[in-house]
Amino acid sequence: MTPILVFGIIAGYFLLLMAISHFTSKKADNSTFFTANRNSPWFLVAFGMVGATLSGVTFISVPGEVGNSNWTYLQFVMGNMVGYAVIALVLIPVFYNLKLVSIYEYLQKRFGRNSYLTGSGFFLVSQTIGASFRLFLAALVLQMAFFDAFGIPFYVTVFVTIGLIWLYTFRGGIKTIVWTDTLQTSFLLIAVVISIYMIVAQLDLNISEVFKTVSKSENSEIFDWNWRSDRNFFKTFLAGVFITIAMNGLDQNVMQKNLTIKNTRDAQKNIFWFSLTFFFSTLLFLILGVLLYAYTLENNIALPEKTDGLYPMLALNHFGIAAGIVFLLGIIAAAFSSADSALTALTTSFCVDILDIQKGKLENQKKTRLLVHIGFTILMFCVIVIFNSFNDSSVVNSVFKVAGFTYGPLLGLFIFGLVSKVKVKDRWVPLVCIAAPVISVILDLYSTEWFFGYQFGFEILLVNAAITCLGLYLLKTPKKETEATPSEEVKEDVLV
């Protein structure tokens, strides 16, 4: 594709997003930005969440990762389904019962102010890193497809990409994102379907031959039963359950969209329908991965040094202009759908949790929100540029590995709060939540030496959360001081 064609695609797509932003941000205020006035249709949120959850990580990394770990990623996705059920049946009623704007307000009601700020702080760190990793992938593709042709450096590509996202989110916030995510999910799924079609056509396969090619490929092996492997089924499945709870149910980015829906029942329907759509969408990406490797083998194409580069390389250089266009639209949609909601969630959490913006004067609230939005835009830009300087592994593994350390304390805080009635010494909670990931990192580094060759995978999240729970238990206050806590009320509501 010519740089001018790429520029036209990007410009046209961005204008479409700006049009949506214009219509959804009319008469927008802070309530619109943070909660969309709690009036979003559940089915719209469900479909839009698919694109935000898949993101650029799935779009680029999952098909390429098939060459490294086959379909073992599906073990993780199976665990995701159980995790989404827990979110729908347990967490959604809790958050709706308490009428939260930021889900970390629960921690203040359950433990105290220090726990609240600690939970919000870990989310801010986790989301900044995770969203930056995802946007980094999209910036690499745009650099390859357009900016390299004009000798424009990578940091300019990142600046332009994140600047465009800021422009269409700074007014309407989450209300705009609910609608733009729907558009972006459509483009993302259309892109992968057309990519599969183009490969099948060039390999001259019929439907039965496609299924035969996929089923007989060594790359489509799903289960790994080796207990020492970091891809062992039980480890990966359980990690899928708890990472979903942590990275979706305890993540302001995802839950903020759910909290824009009118009531608990509709929010639960949203989660269940979204999870089914997500599962089959991931399956499409894994099928695409097998076909990509079959295509390179058939045409004697040299594989790129990094698996993340396989899909972009083939789509932009071998599948033809039409496939290149839909791929570019797909990666832009994937990047924008994850980064825009992340930017809004970071702004919401910082304004509500750290600055307590509701207590300020109305005229100052909007200005504060705007400044925070700008601040996180700049921060994400810096993180992406830094990450580009030392990235040396598959991004799909990097994101979840980082999440294992940063979401562990969050998972531990919420589990301990929901399943126990124990009150803790709130002032020491930050120390426990810092110590838990530090200990987890040490265990991860020396696991093969200390545990007879055992390697931690995604399940390091569970270890991290368990250490946090143990630390919280050690901080318990004397029983005579324990009073009824919000968690008791919450559990009653969930049972009802």
Side-chain angles (χ1 to χ4, degrees):
M1 289 190 294
T2 66
I4 299 301
L5 177 60
V6 173
F7 176 78
I9 294 169
I10 296 172
Y13 187 81
F14 172 68
L15 289 174
L16 186 56
L17 293 178
M18 287 300 295
I20 295 174
S21 175
H22 173 73
F23 288 109
T24 56
S25 61
K26 289 180 178 180
K27 298 181 181 180
D29 54 17
N30 276 356
S31 179
T32 305
F33 188 96
F34 296 143
T35 67
N37 305 113
R38 301 193 190 277
N39 199 32
S40 300
W42 69 265
F43 51 86
L44 198 71
V45 176
F47 186 69
M49 282 175 59
V50 174
T53 304
L54 290 173
S55 76
V57 173
T58 304
F59 193 79
I60 292 179
S61 289
V62 168
E65 184 66 18
V66 166
N68 293 330
S69 54
N70 304 326
W71 276 22
T72 55
Y73 182 65
L74 199 60
Q75 300 174 130
F76 180 77
V77 178
M78 292 174 187
N80 293 163
M81 298 302 100
V82 177
Y84 287 126
V86 173
I87 292 171
L89 298 175
V90 179
L91 294 180
I92 289 292
V94 169
F95 296 149
Y96 269 82
N97 175 67
L98 297 175
K99 298 179 180 179
L100 305 180
V101 175
S102 166
I103 62 175
Y104 308 112
E105 293 174 281
Y106 165 80
L107 297 176
Q108 177 164 324
K109 298 174 185 294
R110 176 62 177 85
F111 297 119
R113 180 71 178 170
N114 288 323
S115 301
Y116 172 36
L117 294 177
T118 300
S120 179
F122 269 93
F123 162 74
L124 292 172
V125 172
S126 304
Q127 190 61 217
T128 300
I129 295 173
S132 298
F133 280 5
R134 296 179 182 101
L135 193 56
F136 165 79
L137 277 175
L140 282 179
V141 174
L142 292 177
Q143 183 74 26
M144 182 194 312
F146 176 72
F147 290 92
D148 273 343
F150 297 96
I152 297 173
F154 180 73
Y155 71 87
V156 175
T157 305
V158 175
F159 179 81
V160 170
T161 305
I162 202 168
L164 294 177
I165 292 171
W166 184 86
L167 281 175
Y168 74 83
T169 60
F170 81 96
R171 287 185 299 178
I174 195 66
K175 184 176 181 180
T176 297
I177 286 164
V178 166
W179 288 91
T180 57
D181 275 1
T182 302
L183 173 73
Q184 291 168 164
T185 298
S186 300
F187 276 117
L188 190 152
L189 294 179
I190 288 170
V192 69
V193 168
I194 290 179
S195 294
I196 290 174
Y197 173 79
M198 297 295 290
I199 296 173
V200 169
Q202 292 194 31
L203 293 178
D204 195 24
L205 301 175
N206 57 40
I207 296 298
S208 62
E209 288 172 334
V210 170
F211 282 106
K212 185 177 180 180
T213 299
V214 173
S215 63
K216 289 192 173 183
S217 171
E218 294 180 358
N219 289 331
S220 58
E221 182 180 348
I222 299 174
F223 299 104
D224 184 343
W225 304 108
N226 180 4
W227 72 273
R228 291 183 175 179
S229 170
D230 62 354
R231 293 281 174 171
N232 172 268
F233 171 77
F234 297 104
K235 292 193 291 184
T236 307
F237 179 84
L238 288 175
V241 174
F242 288 98
I243 280 184
T244 296
I245 295 171
M247 293 186 68
N248 291 271
L250 306 181
D251 187 299
Q252 180 67 19
N253 182 9
V254 177
M255 294 309 295
Q256 188 170 357
K257 297 172 187 176
N258 285 282
L259 295 177
T260 68
I261 299 171
K262 294 179 182 179
N263 54 58
T264 303
R265 183 177 176 82
D266 283 351
Q268 290 175 319
K269 285 193 293 186
N270 159 60
I271 291 293
F272 283 121
W273 280 105
F274 152 72
S275 64
L276 288 174
T277 308
F278 169 73
F279 181 87
F280 287 108
S281 298
T282 304
L283 195 60
L284 274 179
F285 280 95
L286 291 170
I287 291 171
L288 173 61
V290 172
L291 294 175
L292 287 174
Y293 282 98
Y295 182 88
T296 58
L297 183 63
E298 179 71 20
N299 293 278
N300 295 315
I301 298 172
L303 295 174
E305 183 179 347
K306 297 177 182 177
T307 58
D308 289 341
L310 178 64
Y311 186 21
M313 178 191 74
L314 294 178
L316 295 174
N317 301 314
H318 295 274
F319 292 165
I321 292 180
I325 290 174
V326 295
F327 168 80
L328 194 58
L329 284 171
I331 187 59
I332 294 171
F336 280 20
S337 63
S338 59
D340 56 13
S341 57
L343 190 56
T344 302
L346 288 166
T347 301
T348 300
S349 181
F350 195 84
C351 286
V352 175
D353 301 332
I354 308 300
L355 301 182
D356 202 4
I357 195 173
Q358 297 100 319
K359 293 183 178 179
K361 293 182 179 179
L362 190 62
E363 61 268 22
N364 293 331
Q365 289 179 6
K366 190 171 182 180
K367 181 180 178 181
T368 300
R369 189 198 76 210
L370 180 62
L371 291 173
V372 172
H373 205 53
I374 293 172
F376 276 107
T377 303
I378 296 171
L379 179 60
M380 285 180 65
F381 167 79
C382 294
V383 172
I384 294 170
V385 172
I386 292 171
F387 180 61
N388 182 56
S389 68
F390 64 83
N391 176 55
D392 62 356
S393 63
S394 175
V395 175
V396 70
N397 286 324
S398 299
V399 170
F400 291 118
K401 195 70 171 181
V402 170
F405 298 121
T406 58
Y407 277 90
L410 268 178
L411 183 60
L413 281 167
F414 275 88
I415 287 177
F416 192 83
L418 289 169
V419 303
S420 78
K421 301 177 183 179
V422 176
K423 295 187 70 175
V424 302
K425 298 173 183 176
D426 179 58
R427 66 181 180 276
W428 297 109
V429 169
L431 183 61
V432 167
C433 291
I434 292 172
V438 171
I439 295 171
S440 299
V441 169
I442 294 172
L443 290 174
D444 183 64
L445 289 174
Y446 295 99
S447 63
T448 54
E449 181 180 340
W450 292 350
F451 306 121
F452 309 102
Y454 182 89
Q455 291 180 298
F456 282 110
F458 297 148
E459 80 279 6
I460 193 66
L461 172 74
L462 308 183
V463 176
N464 201 340
I467 295 171
T468 303
C469 288
L470 176 61
L472 292 173
Y473 181 77
L474 294 176
L475 294 180
K476 67 179 180 178
T477 57
K479 190 173 183 180
K480 62 181 180 180
E481 298 178 17
T482 303
E483 301 175 356
T485 65
S487 63
E488 295 176 69
E489 300 174 11
V490 164
K491 281 187 273 188
E492 289 177 5
D493 290 327
V494 171
L495 291 174
V496 172

